[in-house]
Amino acid sequence: MIAVTPGLYRHYKGNDYEVLGVARHSETEEEFVVYRPVLGTSGMWVRPLAMFAETVEVDGRTVPRFAPLA
């Protein structure tokens, strides 16, 4: 089970987001992370939990797509 908790996260490209929680699709029961940008007014977003928590390769390094901010 992947644990994503509400709070602030930084996308690997540098923008910060506030995770509001994890929601479940009513038909498939797939889990999605609900989040919004800290700056700007571009609304709320959802992304599959597995994709939110995965790693990506940047300049030959493996980094989290979204990393929690302390």
Side-chain angles (χ1 to χ4, degrees):
M1 175 83 181
I2 302 167
V4 173
T5 58
L8 297 177
Y9 288 76
R10 180 161 291 147
H11 189 265
Y12 75 94
K13 292 181 181 176
N15 294 331
D16 293 342
Y17 294 89
E18 178 187 10
V19 168
L20 303 174
V22 176
R24 187 178 306 275
H25 189 286
S26 63
E27 297 294 323
T28 66
E29 295 194 16
E30 181 181 6
E31 292 182 305
F32 290 83
V33 177
V34 181
Y35 62 102
R36 64 181 171 201
V38 172
L39 298 176
T41 56
S42 58
M44 293 196 314
W45 296 86
V46 296
R47 182 183 294 256
L49 176 61
M51 182 185 285
F52 188 93
E54 73 185 356
T55 58
V56 295
E57 190 170 319
V58 179
D59 298 328
R61 296 181 307 129
T62 301
V63 298
R65 180 180 297 278
F66 288 89
L69 296 176

